[in-house]
Amino acid sequence: MHAVRCCRLHTGTETTGDPRRAPWPSPRGSEPDRPVAPADPQGSAGRGAEGPCAPRRPASVPRLPQLGFCGPQFLRVTKQYLPHVARLCLISTFLEDGVRMWFQWGEQRDYIDTTWGCGYALASAFVLLNLLGQLTGCILVLSRNFVQYACFGLFGIIALQTIAYSILWDLKFLMRNLALGGGLLLLLAESRSEGKSMFAGVPTMRESSPKQYMQLGGRVLLVLMFMTLLHFDASFFSILQNIVGTALMILVAVGFKTKLAALTLVVWLFAINVYFNAFWTIPVYKPMHDFLKYDFFQTMSVIGGLLLVVALGPGGVSMDEKKKEW
């Protein structure tokens, strides 16, 4: 009876009448009902769905609003759109170079003919192959059709240009081309579907998957871009930049705190790219305009590879993944 009275005092209503509204049926021969206390001014709204006899929250403690920018919805939206932005940045240098082959057809053909002495026919075929190969590969990557074939084709374009433009003997440009290849390797790993096991029901080791090693190779090749940005002088800013950049490169390469390190490198590299490769400030007729434009979009491709690391993670061959097993 004391529990029934307590419930009446909290709800401010009688439990007699409709038996479905009573918290439990009253025993026979119970004492007559006593006067009911006045209704709670807060009502059931102050208690919510916690039950009529549950203790109420203090009225002076307001509910804190949920922070939308750090909620699961924001993470889902970011995970959904970030790979698209990464792919667009990654193929930007191929897209720009393919368009440049169209507008500078004569100059590119004459350069190849003069350098290699192969004649106008082979030189024109080289320019046409670069134009069609790069634009077709970019369209396939953006449309998500035959991405693996597009990646292999773009790999071939990188190798062909490395030889044709004598990049093989320039260490700085060679490292940047290798970093660009690392971004393509990450794109290939992202699009590659995992092969099914030969034996149904038998688990396979994640480390043996080719996709994991593609992600490892892509991460290692991406950091080569930052090795070309190191400045060996005695100024305080250069020393600080070299120390921080080297630490971030090591974190990305070994896969420790990978997403945070890759995102930091994205911000740092984008700021350096906009500041040092501002080709829009140089007149079009000057050779420095094309040089800075090429460097700008190549750096944007490396940024796209880093964004893929941020979106997809470091993969199985990384310290972040090993920490889950420890």
Side-chain angles (χ1 to χ4, degrees):
M1 289 303 299
H2 294 287
V4 177
R5 294 186 193 127
C6 176
C7 185
R8 288 173 182 172
L9 289 174
H10 277 285
T11 57
T13 57
E14 289 285 352
T15 58
T16 59
D18 190 354
R20 294 173 297 179
R21 297 188 177 183
W24 54 77
S26 301
R28 291 185 180 181
S30 60
E31 56 182 311
D33 295 336
R34 293 185 178 182
V36 182
D40 186 4
Q42 294 292 333
S44 59
R47 290 182 291 271
E50 299 177 357
C53 296
R56 293 182 290 107
R57 295 186 182 91
S60 60
V61 180
R63 291 178 180 269
L64 294 176
Q66 295 182 353
L67 300 178
F69 62 89
C70 61
Q73 182 65 26
F74 173 78
L75 297 178
R76 285 194 295 268
V77 171
T78 303
K79 188 176 181 179
Q80 179 181 0
Y81 291 103
L82 191 58
H84 299 284
V85 177
R87 285 190 289 269
L88 180 61
C89 292
L90 186 57
I91 58 95
S92 62
T93 185
F94 299 103
L95 187 62
E96 184 273 333
D97 195 54
V99 174
R100 183 163 53 89
M101 289 292 174
W102 173 263
F103 287 101
Q104 297 181 1
W105 180 285
E107 292 87 341
Q108 298 295 327
R109 180 197 58 197
D110 294 340
Y111 175 81
I112 295 298
D113 182 30
T114 304
T115 303
W116 296 96
C118 55
Y120 274 20
L122 288 179
S124 299
F126 171 83
V127 178
L128 180 63
L129 178 62
N130 277 270
L131 189 151
L132 295 179
Q134 293 183 102
L135 294 183
T136 303
C138 293
I139 293 173
L140 292 178
V141 169
L142 293 178
S143 62
R144 309 298 295 154
N145 294 317
F146 305 103
V147 178
Q148 298 185 31
Y149 297 104
C151 289
F152 287 126
L154 295 177
F155 274 125
I157 294 295
I158 292 177
L160 184 62
Q161 290 187 355
T162 301
I163 298 174
Y165 293 102
S166 302
I167 298 176
L168 192 62
W169 316 116
D170 191 326
L171 183 60
K172 179 178 179 181
F173 284 97
L174 178 61
M175 293 175 70
R176 294 196 173 195
N177 271 15
L178 289 176
L180 186 58
L184 286 178
L185 202 58
L186 289 172
L187 181 60
L188 182 62
E190 185 233 352
S191 63
R192 188 181 187 278
S193 58
E194 293 289 343
K196 295 183 178 180
S197 175
M198 295 175 58
F199 306 98
V202 179
T204 57
M205 295 182 63
R206 288 175 294 179
E207 290 81 357
S208 62
S209 171
K211 180 179 179 180
Q212 313 298 335
Y213 289 105
M214 288 181 186
Q215 291 178 286
L216 173 62
R219 295 198 321 265
V220 173
L221 290 176
L222 277 179
V223 301
L224 294 179
M225 166 63 75
F226 298 92
M227 296 182 66
T228 64
L229 302 177
L230 299 178
H231 301 283
F232 299 98
D233 51 47
S235 65
F236 174 77
F237 179 77
S238 296
I239 295 175
L240 180 62
Q241 179 181 357
N242 292 342
I243 293 175
V244 175
T246 303
L248 293 175
M249 287 189 293
I250 294 175
L251 290 178
V252 172
V254 302
F256 182 72
K257 300 293 184 182
T258 316
K259 291 188 175 183
L260 179 59
L263 186 59
T264 306
L265 285 176
V266 166
V267 176
W268 179 38
L269 188 57
F270 182 77
I272 292 177
N273 194 30
V274 172
Y275 182 77
F276 288 104
N277 297 324
F279 64 91
W280 51 87
T281 61
I282 306 297
V284 180
Y285 60 87
K286 291 187 176 182
M288 185 58 67
H289 176 88
D290 285 341
F291 175 79
L292 293 180
K293 187 177 182 181
Y294 170 79
D295 206 14
F296 177 87
F297 283 102
Q298 196 175 41
T299 307
M300 289 299 299
S301 294
V302 176
I303 290 176
L306 289 170
L307 287 176
L308 279 180
V309 175
V310 175
L312 306 175
V317 189
S318 62
M319 292 186 64
D320 287 340
E321 191 69 20
K322 295 300 180 182
K323 285 192 305 181
K324 300 178 182 178
E325 301 176 1
W326 297 342

